[in-house]
Amino acid sequence: MKKIVLLVCTISAAFLLIAGCSSSKKGERSAIGRVYQNTTAHYNGFYYAKLKLTEAENQMITSRKYNFDQLLPLFKVGNPDDAAGNNDMDSVIRRLTIVVKLHPDSKWTDDAYLNIGKAYYYKKNYEAALATFQYVSGKFGDKKALTEASNNKKTSTPSKSGSHGKPQSAAQKQKAAEDAEAKEAAKTQASLPSSSSGGLLKHTPVHDEDLFWMARTFTNLGQFSDAQSVLSFMKNKSLPVNLKEEYGVVQTNLFIEQKQYTNAIEPLKSAIASAKDHKDKTRYTYVLAQLYQFTKNYKLASQYFDAITRMKPSYEMEFNSRIAVAKNYVISGAGSPGAISAQLESMVRDDRYEDFYDQIYYELALVNLRQNKEDIAVKNLESSIRKSTSNINQKGLAFLKLGEMDFNEQDYLSASPDYDSAVSFLDAKFDTLDQVKSLQRTLKNLSDQYYIILEQDSLQKLAAMSEKDRNRFIDDLIAEQERQKQEQSRDSVVNSESFQNQQLNNDRSTVQNQAQGSSWYFYNTSLKATGFNEFRQKWGNRKNEDNWRRNNKSSSDITTANGQNTLPGEQQTGAGAENLQKDNAENALSAMLLNIPLTTAKMEASNNKIFDAYYILGTIYKDELHNSAKATETFEKLASRFPENENISRVYYSLYLIYSEKGNIAKAETFKQLLINNYPNSAYAAVLTDPNYLNKAKAQQNALNTYYASTYNYYVAEKYPDVIAHAQAADTLFKDNPLQSKFDLLEAFSIGKLQDTTALIAALDSFIKRYPTGAEHEIAVDLLINLGVEPEIEKPAENISDNFPKKEETKSSPYQYHPDNPQYLVIVFNTISPKTRAVMDSIDNYNSLNYSIDNYKVSSQLLDTKSQMILVKQMKSSKEAIAYYNELSDQDGVFEPVEDLSYELLLIDDKNYPIFYKLKNMDEYRKFFETNYDLDDEGN
């Protein structure tokens, strides 16, 4: 091709040389000059720019990946979703700009400008593209067509200039000369070889093509009326066949961008009829079928999708066409279910579709559901999950459908794990992912409450056994676990796919059996595995030994059951792995059995857990799942089982609300009277007896919040006198003010701002005496310590009777043991020292490494004028507190900064702490602590 180009350029140069030597006529020289301009413009610049542009367009076509879940692109190139061209397009624009500057009179100038516009369009610089297309239309447009209407209105013809006419003006003379030159040039052009007017140098005007590109650009810019105006003008023209196809596609695109899918159908049909390229025709037909889907004409949509399969489409388009027919049936019932099922079943037997088996099984399941064949649908969904390897989103869709089926049957426990899996696998761009996540959290919470009830009921059954029977049961349970593991190990080596299928079925049947009323927690493999997984996520794989939670072990301690060191993330095999699994299972089982309520206190705590779980469960049914029937059932079971519970009033109130909403006035009145008669001082009774109670309480709370906000704004604005005035008035304005400590702290700060450090210290000292506990107290204490001042805390008045000896047996302790209450670890120092700050930092780091999930808080507080405390809040129960106490005690590095100070560690619950802080009697509490907290038990 390059040789041909050079040859043509040489011939053109020869023409110019010969013509210049042999002719003296201006018209002939001008014609030969245009031949030279046209030839060099075309083959020096335009040719290579056009070649580069074509290569870029081909690259766009070959790199495109169709998303068959969305409307396919109408155009071969330049669709809005196509990647923007950059470097190649810049090169095209530079080359063509040189062409139009060097050869402005060439007949290829309009082509050059048109392709400059295309390059801007491919760069997605639509403003520059539009300006270029408009320039081409104005400079090189079909002026005859544009002015045809106005010319038709003229009835007179222009007078000819001649010797008998009026004298010609200078402009008329110039025009006549140009016309004569043009005629002469045309004659000369006709006398030249045919290659100058046809063949390689044949030129077709671009004005019609330019208008289509202009309409496309208007559409992309959202200027739909302008785009339609251009297309309306084109509609009235006599277009060649190839541009009729272009008109139909551009018009269809304009309607689609405006979401006028019904209007888009007819012009697309016209484009299909005019299309010559088979791939284009097939793609247009697929879009047409999609448009019928969008307009809910599923019957015609299925007919066109079915027709595509006979048009020899691409492999993916054929597959998606067949799937689309099934989808239409699922949505509308259009089509033959037998034929559709048969086709899908034949596809899962065809190796060509192996990569799409997961989608085929999924659609087959949806067809089954449309026919109410739920059992078959479940099997096909499970097959879809197993076959899904690379399309993770498809796996998520299958899990979601299983979850929806269980949810619709109100089998929430079975639905929960499916929703968990769906959230794990669904693509982040999934349309309703936020709703799925919300429901997944609700179902997870519901399942957690159900399993709490099941676990505590099972533990209480164990507690009711004799010790001998209980030990025998535990031994049998461990043996059964070992037998099940051995069976699974044998099955796993037989056939991995059948084993995977068995595991999936076992998991679902386990949950379903449990949901149907199995009353024994420890027979449920799924629940025990959940407990073990939570244990492992928090602590990792631990050896069965004492003090396994300590973090200061050497690396040599991290060994497998066969004595081999294993790095994190490595898996073990063989006997070592089996032994480790056995140890882990026994550890998990032991952890579950530790809470057997063998004492009155533990039994009370177990009942409280069941009560709270039932109440949360009922609330979820009522407020989140809107299942009043299950909510009623749950609350009534709770009221029947725990009628004496101190929180039963809120259960009665919930039942009152449910029955009132259902219109069961008699039942609602029953629970209303139970509340009023048995709990007259409760807030629920107040709500029922005083219709304005809630409004009053809400109004008071709103007023208090507004008042505090304004006081705080005064502080921020440094209007400290106003802060003091507001704070002092708050106690009078709002009785039983829960925010009074906040007001008083702001007042103390404001006093410090208005006066000096001495006044601030005095105000803070007074504050901590008034508020011996709480968050504001701790803020004040921290500030005092940072100021380097010992707060003046008054010691309790000495009891004269303390000077006389007392009989131990006659003195009753002010403390009561609450093992299931929140617990604090307290480190008491016999002095006030800045060294304690290093201990606080060390404990905080230790907690971050070992108890990040528990989110323990470390704070400092003065006990009296000579003693200081560090508090760690808060452990859930005495069991956790004892374990934490023992571990922290072994951390030598934590207490290294205060080795020269005297200190001791104590545990105390939230109800005993205020008493201890008030009495400040270390000896008395130490005795209580040593009597009730069994530190040798390691929390077990």
Side-chain angles (χ1 to χ4, degrees):
M1 179 59 73
K2 290 184 178 179
K3 292 181 178 179
I4 296 174
V5 173
L6 292 174
L7 177 62
V8 172
C9 292
T10 303
I11 294 173
S12 300
F15 278 148
L16 180 61
L17 181 62
I18 295 170
C21 296
S22 62
S23 177
S24 60
K25 294 184 179 180
K26 181 180 178 182
E28 291 178 355
R29 290 200 306 271
S30 178
I32 296 298
R34 278 194 292 273
V35 171
Y36 171 76
Q37 293 287 335
N38 292 338
T39 305
T40 54
H42 186 278
Y43 289 106
N44 283 356
F46 178 80
Y47 172 80
Y48 289 106
K50 179 65 175 174
L51 188 65
K52 197 170 191 66
L53 188 67
T54 302
E55 289 175 354
E57 290 174 336
N58 290 334
Q59 178 62 29
M60 293 180 200
I61 295 172
T62 56
S63 63
R64 179 184 295 132
K65 180 72 174 177
Y66 288 138
N67 181 355
F68 289 91
D69 292 331
Q70 300 176 358
L71 273 174
L72 293 192
L74 282 168
F75 303 103
K76 283 185 177 180
V77 289
N79 293 284
D81 292 335
D82 290 346
N86 290 311
N87 295 335
D88 288 343
M89 297 302 106
D90 291 337
S91 175
V92 169
I93 292 170
R94 284 195 301 269
R95 288 171 181 267
L96 293 176
T97 301
I98 293 173
V99 169
V100 297
K101 285 185 176 180
L102 294 179
H103 309 287
D105 297 327
S106 165
K107 65 181 179 180
W108 301 102
T109 302
D110 58 343
D111 296 80
Y113 276 116
L114 175 66
N115 285 285
I116 289 174
K118 288 182 182 180
Y120 279 123
Y121 187 95
Y122 294 150
K123 282 169 61 70
K124 299 195 175 183
N125 187 346
Y126 298 126
E127 290 80 6
L130 180 62
T132 307
F133 295 140
Q134 288 176 324
Y135 176 79
V136 173
S137 177
K139 181 74 174 176
F140 307 101
D142 186 356
K143 296 180 176 59
K144 179 180 179 181
L146 289 170
T147 58
E148 185 177 16
S150 59
N151 289 340
N152 289 338
K153 292 180 181 179
K154 297 179 180 179
T155 55
S156 60
T157 57
S159 59
K160 297 180 180 180
S161 300
S163 58
H164 301 289
K166 295 182 179 180
Q168 290 182 314
S169 64
Q172 288 173 328
K173 291 179 181 180
Q174 175 74 18
K175 180 67 169 58
E178 290 177 355
D179 290 343
E181 180 181 340
K183 289 179 180 179
E184 197 63 37
K187 292 178 181 179
T188 304
Q189 181 80 1
S191 66
L192 292 173
S194 60
S195 60
S196 65
S197 59
L200 291 174
L201 296 180
K202 184 178 181 180
H203 175 264
T204 302
V206 300
H207 46 76
D208 289 336
E209 184 182 1
D210 173 73
L211 289 175
F212 286 127
W213 280 97
M214 189 189 303
R216 287 179 63 175
T217 310
F218 274 131
T219 301
N220 287 356
L221 289 170
Q223 301 177 24
F224 301 131
S225 59
D226 292 328
Q228 188 57 62
S229 296
V230 174
L231 291 173
S232 296
F233 167 74
M234 296 296 293
K235 185 178 182 180
N236 297 324
K237 297 188 65 176
S238 177
L239 298 172
V241 174
N242 66 312
L243 290 184
K244 285 183 179 179
E245 174 190 346
E246 187 75 10
Y247 172 84
V249 175
V250 175
Q251 181 68 77
T252 301
N253 180 61
L254 175 59
F255 285 132
I256 288 175
E257 289 299 315
Q258 298 176 85
K259 301 189 185 309
Q260 298 179 12
Y261 301 119
T262 302
N263 293 337
I265 290 174
E266 288 305 319
L268 186 55
K269 284 184 177 180
S270 174
I272 293 171
S274 303
K276 299 300 182 183
D277 185 89
H278 179 73
K279 290 183 179 179
D280 289 343
K281 185 186 289 285
T282 305
R283 187 177 69 257
Y284 297 157
T285 305
Y286 196 97
V287 175
L288 180 61
Q290 289 179 307
L291 290 174
Y292 278 122
Q293 273 185 324
F294 283 20
T295 56
K296 301 187 185 307
N297 191 337
Y298 298 107
K299 183 177 180 180
L300 279 178
S302 294
Q303 290 178 4
Y304 277 102
F305 280 126
D306 188 55
I308 291 169
T309 63
R310 298 188 295 274
M311 296 173 70
K312 297 182 179 180
S314 67
Y315 166 65
E316 283 190 321
M317 185 175 288
E318 179 191 6
F319 166 77
N320 281 280
S321 296
R322 296 182 187 278
I323 290 296
V325 173
K327 288 181 177 179
N328 287 338
Y329 167 73
V330 171
I331 296 172
S332 66
S336 168
I340 293 171
S341 297
Q343 184 178 74
L344 293 173
E345 288 169 355
S346 69
M347 291 171 71
V348 297
R349 295 190 296 269
D350 191 336
D351 292 342
R352 291 185 306 147
Y353 301 109
E354 184 176 4
D355 293 339
F356 299 112
Y357 281 166
D358 53 350
Q359 295 183 54
I360 299 171
Y361 276 116
Y362 179 77
E363 295 301 334
L364 191 54
L366 297 186
V367 172
N368 298 147
L369 287 175
R370 178 80 186 188
Q371 298 173 282
N372 296 319
K373 298 178 180 179
E374 294 189 359
D375 293 341
I376 301 176
V378 168
K379 292 180 180 179
N380 282 321
L381 287 171
E382 291 172 348
S383 296
S384 175
I385 292 168
R386 287 193 303 275
K387 296 294 184 181
S388 183
T389 55
S390 58
N391 191 348
I392 302 301
N393 187 65
Q394 183 60 55
K395 189 188 290 283
L397 290 173
F399 273 118
L400 179 59
K401 182 55 65 176
L402 285 171
E404 289 174 346
M405 292 171 64
D406 289 329
F407 184 86
N408 292 335
E409 294 294 326
Q410 298 186 14
D411 185 0
Y412 303 124
L413 291 178
S414 297
S416 180
D418 289 327
Y419 272 89
D420 286 341
S421 299
V423 168
S424 299
F425 292 118
L426 284 174
D427 189 273
K429 297 180 180 179
F430 184 67
D431 291 344
T432 59
L433 184 59
D434 289 341
Q435 299 175 25
V436 174
K437 284 183 176 180
S438 177
L439 186 53
Q440 176 255 344
R441 289 190 293 267
T442 297
L443 293 174
K444 177 67 167 59
N445 191 11
L446 182 145
S447 298
D448 289 345
Q449 306 313 314
Y450 178 83
Y451 294 146
I452 288 172
I453 296 168
L454 191 59
E455 180 186 26
Q456 293 304 316
D457 281 342
S458 298
L459 288 170
Q460 290 186 13
K461 288 183 180 180
L462 282 174
M465 294 180 180
S466 66
E467 185 176 0
K468 180 180 179 180
D469 292 340
R470 186 164 52 248
N471 290 337
R472 184 186 301 114
F473 169 80
I474 294 172
D475 291 340
D476 292 343
L477 190 60
I478 293 175
E480 175 62 19
Q481 282 186 323
E482 185 62 26
R483 186 189 65 78
Q484 290 179 0
K485 283 190 295 184
Q486 290 177 356
E487 287 184 357
Q488 291 176 358
S489 178
R490 286 196 301 269
D491 292 342
S492 63
V493 298
V494 175
N495 186 306
S496 59
E497 183 171 331
S498 63
F499 175 68
Q500 191 179 27
N501 187 22
Q502 179 184 355
Q503 286 296 98
L504 182 60
N505 292 334
N506 287 345
D507 290 343
R508 291 185 56 79
S509 62
T510 298
V511 176
Q512 290 168 356
N513 292 337
Q514 195 64 51
Q516 291 169 2
S518 176
S519 58
W520 196 250
Y521 175 87
F522 300 104
Y523 284 160
N524 191 316
T525 306
S526 176
L527 297 187
K528 288 185 293 182
T530 300
F532 170 67
N533 287 335
E534 290 177 355
F535 175 95
R536 186 172 57 186
Q537 286 173 5
K538 183 173 181 179
W539 303 112
N541 289 329
R542 299 283 183 165
K543 292 172 64 178
N544 188 12
E545 61 181 1
D546 294 335
N547 301 327
W548 50 262
R549 284 203 290 191
R550 295 179 186 170
N551 74 333
N552 59 347
K553 293 173 179 259
S554 65
S555 59
S556 61
D557 291 333
I558 307 173
T559 59
T560 66
N562 60 2
Q564 300 298 318
N565 287 54
T566 305
L567 295 174
E570 291 184 340
Q571 290 187 340
Q572 302 175 49
T573 58
E578 293 177 2
N579 291 337
L580 181 60
Q581 289 177 358
K582 181 178 179 181
D583 288 342
N584 284 331
E586 291 178 357
N587 280 339
L589 179 61
S590 298
M592 294 175 188
L593 298 179
L594 286 174
N595 288 327
I596 297 176
L598 298 176
T599 66
T600 303
K602 286 189 174 182
M603 182 61 74
E604 181 183 353
S606 177
N607 284 329
N608 286 337
K609 288 180 180 179
I610 295 174
F611 181 93
D612 291 341
Y614 265 122
Y615 183 77
I616 296 172
L617 198 60
T619 303
I620 293 172
Y621 284 136
K622 173 178 172 289
D623 296 333
E624 297 184 49
L625 299 179
H626 308 290
N627 190 329
S628 59
K630 281 194 172 292
T632 304
E633 177 186 350
T634 304
F635 284 132
E636 287 192 337
K637 185 184 293 185
L638 182 55
S640 174
R641 183 168 176 179
F642 301 104
E644 303 300 325
N645 188 283
E646 60 183 4
N647 293 314
I648 198 65
S649 59
R650 60 183 180 179
V651 179
Y652 292 157
Y653 185 71
S654 296
L655 286 167
Y656 165 79
L657 292 177
I658 292 173
Y659 282 120
S660 296
E661 290 173 0
K662 293 170 66 175
N664 192 333
I665 305 302
K667 276 281 192 179
E669 187 64 26
T670 298
F671 288 103
K672 177 180 178 180
Q673 292 306 317
L674 279 172
L675 268 173
I676 294 173
N677 296 335
N678 298 340
Y679 304 94
N681 297 323
S682 68
Y684 302 109
V687 169
L688 296 178
T689 55
D690 183 0
N692 294 319
Y693 174 82
L694 287 178
N695 291 333
K696 292 176 182 177
K698 185 176 180 180
Q700 184 177 10
Q701 184 62 45
N702 290 340
L704 174 60
N705 291 338
T706 302
Y707 189 80
Y708 177 75
S710 65
T711 306
Y712 183 79
N713 288 336
Y714 281 134
Y715 182 80
V716 172
E718 301 182 359
K719 297 180 179 180
Y720 303 119
D722 291 329
V723 175
I724 295 172
H726 271 63
Q728 292 175 349
D731 196 27
T732 304
L733 293 172
F734 302 97
K735 299 299 181 183
D736 300 323
N737 180 2
L739 303 182
Q740 190 60 47
S741 62
K742 296 181 182 294
F743 282 106
D744 290 345
L745 188 59
L746 282 179
E747 181 182 358
F749 289 163
S750 298
I751 290 172
K753 293 287 186 180
L754 289 173
Q755 300 181 38
D756 54 17
T757 304
T758 303
L760 175 61
I761 292 171
L764 292 174
D765 200 33
S766 174
F767 178 86
I768 61 176
K769 292 175 183 177
R770 198 181 321 157
Y771 301 101
T773 61
E776 288 74 28
H777 169 92
E778 294 177 5
I779 292 172
V781 168
D782 284 343
L783 183 55
L784 283 169
I785 293 174
N786 291 331
L787 290 172
V789 179
E790 295 183 6
E792 297 179 3
I793 300 177
E794 294 182 0
K795 293 182 67 175
E798 186 178 21
N799 193 333
I800 296 178
S801 62
D802 290 341
N803 297 324
F804 299 94
K806 299 180 177 62
K807 296 180 180 179
E808 281 296 319
E809 63 272 16
T810 61
K811 182 177 179 180
S812 61
S813 174
Y815 306 106
Q816 294 182 1
Y817 185 49
H818 310 104
D820 294 300
N821 274 33
Q823 305 280 327
Y824 309 156
L825 181 133
V826 183
I827 308 170
V828 182
F829 298 87
N830 65 350
T831 184
I832 299 175
S833 171
K835 293 181 180 180
T836 59
R837 172 59 64 179
V839 177
M840 290 178 62
D841 293 339
S842 295
I843 294 175
D844 202 34
N845 291 334
Y846 174 77
N847 290 342
S848 298
L849 288 171
N850 300 278
Y851 289 89
S852 59
I853 297 176
D854 299 293
N855 196 27
Y856 292 158
K857 302 296 184 184
V858 184
S859 61
S860 176
Q861 191 167 327
L862 295 179
L863 180 60
D864 54 36
T865 56
K866 297 181 180 180
S867 304
Q868 183 179 355
M869 299 184 298
I870 292 177
L871 274 71
V872 182
K873 298 179 181 179
Q874 62 188 6
M875 298 95 227
K876 295 179 181 178
S877 65
S878 62
K879 180 189 72 173
E880 291 188 9
I882 291 171
Y884 181 81
Y885 177 100
N886 287 328
E887 293 158 23
L888 193 64
S889 299
D890 290 340
Q891 307 301 312
D892 297 331
V894 170
F895 298 98
E896 186 176 351
V898 291
E899 285 182 347
D900 58 333
L901 302 181
S902 176
Y903 64 89
E904 59 182 303
L905 277 66
L906 302 169
L907 295 175
I908 190 168
D909 65 57
D910 61 340
K911 290 187 177 180
N912 286 329
Y913 180 75
I915 301 171
F916 168 72
Y917 192 88
K918 180 180 180 181
L919 297 178
K920 296 177 171 47
N921 190 326
M922 279 291 298
D923 294 335
E924 184 177 45
Y925 184 75
R926 186 187 300 110
K927 181 177 181 181
F928 171 82
F929 168 67
E930 292 173 350
T931 301
N932 292 276
Y933 288 84
D934 186 4
L935 299 179
D936 294 332
D937 195 32
E938 288 285 337
N940 298 331

